[in-house]
Every structure is written in C-alpha cells, then in structure tokens.
Amino acid sequence: MSQARDHGVDDHWPKRPFRNRVACRRAVAQLAAGTPVLPVLIVSAIVLADLAAGAGMIWLPLLAAGPALAATTNGPRGVLCVGFLALVLGATLGTRDSVPARELAAVLTALVAVTLASGLASALRGRRERVLAAVRSVAETAQHALLAPVPATVGPFQVAVRYSAAAAEARIGGDLYALIPTPYGVRLIVGDVRGKGLPAVGTVALVLGVFREAAYDEPDLLAVVDRIERSLARNLGHDDFVTAVVAGFPEAGQLEVVNCGHTPPLLVNASGRVTEVEPTHPAPPLGLRALTGDTPGLQVLPFADGDQLLLYTDGVTEARDRGRAFYPLAEGLERHVSHEPAQTLSALQDELLAHVGGRLHDDAALLLIRKPALLATGIPEATVPEPAAVGP
C-alpha cells in the first residue's frame, strides 16, 4: 500500500494540475534538448564580430561552423535551421559590407553545401545511435535473464550483489553469479569465465543454466559441481575454462564450499574478523578436470548467526592503482563491514573505484551473504530500527 493511501489522501490528491505541470516540464526539457543552442551562439558571435569589425569577407566563411557543429549535437531539422539562419545572416552581412556578388555567391554556395552535408551526417549519426540503443537494450535484457537480480533476503539470509562488466557498452561480461533457495538449503555460485565481454556470454549462460537445475535436483553439493563439469567438458574448447566457487547452507550453522580454481572466499565472523577460506583440496577450474584428473573436495565450515561470506572475482583483487598496487579487499572488508550487506558492498565498490581511478578494466563481481543474529526477543537484528539521534 502506498504511503499516500496509508494516510488516506490518495483519493483527494489534485492529480490533474500536477500532471499538467509535469507535461509542461517535459515539453520544455524536450525543446531545450532539441534546440541547437551552442551552434546558434556561435553564429551569433560571428555576426557580432562582423558588425563590430566591419571585416566583410573575413568572417562570412566562418558561419559554416554553425551547421557543422549542429550535426554533432542535433538532428537534421536542427542542422537545417542553423544552416538557414547562417545563410540569411551571411547574405545580409555580405550585402551590408558590399561584398562582391561573385565572392558572396561562392560563400553562400559553400554554406549550403556544408549544411546539406551536415544534415546527412546528423541523420546517419541518429541512425547509429538508435541501433546502438537497441543493441544495449538487448544486452541488458540478456544480462537480466542470465544474471537475475538477487533479492535483499533469500531464505534466512541477507544478500547483496555488485557487478561491473569491463565491456561497459554491452553491460554484460564473463563473470557470473547466482543464488537460489533449494530443498537442500540456499546454494550459490560465483565464477569467472576465461575471457570477457560478449564472447564469454555463451559460457556464462551454460554454467548458470546447469547450476540452477542441478542445485535444485542434487542433494550433494559435489554432485552439482560434477554436473557443471560434465556439461562444460562437452561444450567448451580445449583452452576454455571457468573458475568458480560453489557454496551451500544445508542446515543452520553449517557452510559447504567447493572451490574450483577460484579466488578464496572471505569469511567474516560476528566480531568482524576476516579470514580467507583457502581450499583444503585444491582443484582445477571447471572444464579442465580431464587434463589433471584431480577432483574437488567439499569443505564444511561453521557459519553462525552474524557471520558473513563474501564471494568475488579476480577483477576485484587484481584492480590496480596508478602505482600498480592491488586493491586490498580483505582490509577494505574489515573497514566497511556492517550488519547490512548492501551498505558494505556499496562502500567497498566506492573504495574500489577510487582505488583504480574511476573505472575497472576487468569484469568484477561481489556477492555478500549474511545470517542475521537473533535477539532475545526472537526478532532478527536487521529489522530492529536504530534509535533516532537526539539533537542539542
């Protein structure tokens, strides 16, 4: 129920004037966005310079800068409008300054040619932008289909995810994650496909599809990993592989982890101490088991109320600053850990971007899961509001 309806004012809200104001604002915004303000200012500046200096032919050819610039910011109609304005002003100034007819005709002809060429360039630019927008829309739809948004709570756990693709134009990359409730507890996967960008999307789809099916069907977490391995062995090339961590919470207070050549997860206890979950039985990445014959092992760890588990990809830990220093994820997690996973990851992401100077150069994924502690009343601590600050 909306807040307005809760307060009993929804049915009496003056909707029509509000909608009229919104419509007017949108119309003004669209008009401002479609108006070639800068090209018109440039043409006006050239006209004023000519009027002030009385230089005649010296300034007239510069009027072509107006429609040329409009082609980079406006549609064909805006370009033609600026070109027509420049043409009229050029003819007026040429007549005023007594420019010879042949020279004035040459300048005006060149101005018409620049305007028509700029209009064509603007039309082609608009077409490319529409195609790019359609491609981005398809890519984003594919991302949402593959990397479905994770809710804030899954079963008894609080969850948060942050994902950044190196191929920013496509909004999708080679890192993968999934978290689903199953009859055998909540299960999750975080992985990294060899390569990045759109070429890795097919492998991401394959791994996530197999995981979502096997995690729900298989009671044993190792059996889930085996099914992913078999599928990749049939479908991947000889040089392709996927590093991944598969984890599950089969019962209260227990955590299962299978690490296949991936960066070790970070376990945070209720007091905020961070430790790496190093694999006790190292295994090759998924898709390479046939080359080594090694099989992954299952780690069983305690996971008490208030504990947190952070899974991530190497795009986070291999991010470098200008001095080529790696980002210290464990130290950052200790600094920013809180009772709210979303708040913790937001702080980590901000610090990571500041460390690299604003943009990551590799796909990066962070998934943090936390088991809220129960208070004496039996209410999860995350749902208890903090006391309001009292001013002086």
Side-chain angles (χ1 to χ4, degrees), residues 132-144 146-147 163-174 196-201 359 363:
L132 180 58
V135 171
R136 285 180 173 176
S137 177
V138 171
E140 189 162 353
T141 301
Q143 183 187 32
H144 281 295
L146 294 177
L147 304 178
Y163 179 83
S164 176
E169 295 79 4
R171 303 184 185 182
I172 195 167
K196 59 186 177 182
L198 293 178
V201 173
R359 182 177 178 181
D363 303 326

Side-chain angles (χ1 to χ4, degrees), residues 152 154 156-160 179 188 248-249 251-257 265-275 277 300-311 333 337-342 344 367-374 381-382:
V154 178
F157 300 100
Q158 299 170 273
V159 185
L179 184 145
L188 57 96
F249 303 87
E251 58 186 50
Q254 191 176 81
L255 165 67
E256 295 180 344
V257 178
L266 298 178
L267 184 63
V268 188
N269 62 19
S271 63
R273 181 171 176 269
V274 178
T275 57
V277 183
V300 181
L301 304 170
F303 196 77
D305 291 347
D307 288 354
Q308 305 185 53
L309 183 70
L310 177 66
L311 293 91
L333 182 58
V337 66
S338 68
H339 290 174
E340 294 293 335
T344 302
L367 189 154
L368 181 62
I369 184 167
R370 178 177 185 271
K371 178 65 167 64
L374 295 179
E381 61 181 359

Side-chain angles (χ1 to χ4, degrees), residues 310-330:
L310 177 66
L311 293 91
Y312 55 95
T313 58
D314 59 8
V316 178
T317 52
E318 293 182 1
R320 297 173 182 256
D321 61 9
R322 293 182 178 179
R324 308 302 294 169
F326 294 111
Y327 174 67
L329 178 59

Side-chain angles (χ1 to χ4, degrees), residues 2-95:
S2 66
Q3 185 177 2
R5 191 172 297 276
D6 287 342
H7 286 81
V9 298
D10 182 66
D11 295 334
H12 305 287
W13 186 261
K15 296 180 180 178
R16 186 176 299 276
F18 176 76
R19 290 177 179 174
N20 290 339
R21 289 197 298 271
V22 172
C24 291
R25 290 174 182 172
R26 288 179 178 175
V28 171
Q30 291 175 357
L31 180 62
T35 302
V37 178
L38 183 58
V40 170
L41 290 177
I42 290 178
V43 171
S44 301
I46 295 172
V47 171
L48 292 176
D50 182 89
L51 292 175
M57 278 293 297
I58 295 178
W59 297 100
L60 292 184
L62 296 179
L63 291 172
L69 179 61
T72 65
T73 59
N74 298 90
R77 183 179 300 179
V79 174
L80 294 179
C81 290
V82 175
F84 179 76
L85 175 63
L87 186 66
V88 171
L89 293 176
T92 303
L93 291 176
T95 303

Side-chain angles (χ1 to χ4, degrees), residues 22-261:
V22 172
C24 291
R25 290 174 182 172
R26 288 179 178 175
V28 171
Q30 291 175 357
L31 180 62
T35 302
V37 178
L38 183 58
V40 170
L41 290 177
I42 290 178
V43 171
S44 301
I46 295 172
V47 171
L48 292 176
D50 182 89
L51 292 175
M57 278 293 297
I58 295 178
W59 297 100
L60 292 184
L62 296 179
L63 291 172
L69 179 61
T72 65
T73 59
N74 298 90
R77 183 179 300 179
V79 174
L80 294 179
C81 290
V82 175
F84 179 76
L85 175 63
L87 186 66
V88 171
L89 293 176
T92 303
L93 291 176
T95 303
R96 171 187 173 276
D97 297 333
S98 301
V99 176
R102 293 183 61 182
E103 296 180 2
L104 180 59
V107 171
L108 297 180
T109 301
L111 185 56
V112 170
V114 171
T115 299
L116 294 177
S118 300
L120 178 60
S122 175
L124 294 176
R125 177 183 58 80
R127 182 179 178 181
R128 287 194 298 269
E129 288 179 352
R130 289 190 295 271
V131 172
L132 180 58
V135 171
R136 285 180 173 176
S137 177
V138 171
E140 189 162 353
T141 301
Q143 183 187 32
H144 281 295
L146 294 177
L147 304 178
V150 175
T153 57
V154 178
F157 300 100
Q158 299 170 273
V159 185
V161 173
R162 294 294 183 272
Y163 179 83
S164 176
E169 295 79 4
R171 303 184 185 182
I172 195 167
D175 288 358
L176 58 95
Y177 62 84
L179 184 145
I180 57 175
T182 74
Y184 314 105
V186 174
R187 287 176 168 176
L188 57 96
I189 182 174
V190 170
D192 187 356
V193 176
R194 178 181 178 272
K196 59 186 177 182
L198 293 178
V201 173
T203 305
V204 170
L206 176 63
V207 172
L208 291 180
V210 177
F211 170 76
R212 286 170 178 148
E213 181 180 357
Y216 202 86
D217 292 342
E218 299 289 350
D220 186 357
L221 196 63
L222 283 175
V224 176
V225 176
D226 289 342
R227 283 180 58 170
I228 300 175
E229 174 69 33
R230 291 195 300 270
S231 180
L232 291 179
R234 291 193 302 267
N235 294 280
L236 289 188
H238 297 295
D239 297 330
D240 296 328
F241 58 86
V242 179
T243 65
V245 171
V246 182
F249 303 87
E251 58 186 50
Q254 191 176 81
L255 165 67
E256 295 180 344
V257 178
V258 180
N259 192 327
C260 298

